[in-house]
Amino acid sequence: MKKINVAIDGTSSSGKSTMAKALAKSVGYTYIDTGAMYRSVTLYCLRNGLISDGKVDVERLVALLPKISISFKIEGGKQATYLCGENVEREIRGLEVSNCVSLVAAIAEVRHAMVRLQQEMGKDKGVVMDGRDIGTVVLPDAEIKLFVTTSPEIRAKRRFDEMRAKGDTSVTLADIIANVKMRDHLDTTRKESPLRKANDAVEVDSGQFHTAEEQIAWAVNYFHDYMQKHQ
Ligand code: DC
């Protein structure tokens, strides 16, 4: 059967990554986590002293961009992100990177380099790519485009529950709601490819699903429906 590309965009903590990952696994496609790529560049900046006082040394970063290689490998059934040959999967999810990634993802030159890489990864079809600008900029010709979001309160509660489950009691629900709203603001108002729904994307309110499994099942069904109609 002919392969297609699936673009999944949406707000943070909307469950889109879990959904994209599981959809790719279920249909035998490659999952590409573009957020992990921006996180990796951010880690590179932190390690090389390119961020200080909340500012990125853009000139130095642009000069170093050709040296930054990012790739994905499957290890033990799980996808791992590699930065210049090193597995950085754990480190890119840490607080330090999370706090600085919006800054780095707003830099035009960084975006251009990442978009080029992502387009290369999607050129042979058969990918499920998740991010903020996939349906609008990276893969505007993707056959399936989903835009996943729900209210800041529901998304914050999801993150709050995840943190509590890990034993983290350092922040309140109100703190997380404020953080989610701030990230939404940064993602949607930045000059370079802000988060927005592509005109031809299907909007998915993830608040309608009671569990992650329900959300995944919906996406898998949507994919098979599409394939059946477009054989
Ligand atoms: O999905 P995530 O939280 O791992 O994304 C990390 C950051 O990268 C977030 O601030 C949004 C940004 N991002 C982006 O600007 N474009 C993408 N295609 C993916 C992520």
Side-chain angles (χ1 to χ4, degrees), residues 16 34-35 38-39 101-102 105 111 131-133 183 187 190:
K16 71 182 158 47
T34 62
Y38 291 99
R39 286 173 179 273
V101 62
S102 294
R111 299 206 71 84
R132 305 292 191 286
D133 57 344
R183 297 220 311 187
D187 280 351
R190 69 167 176 237

Side-chain angles (χ1 to χ4, degrees), residues 14 91 110 133 205 228:
S14 60
E91 222 175 330
V110 171
D133 57 344
D205 178 352
Q228 219 164 29

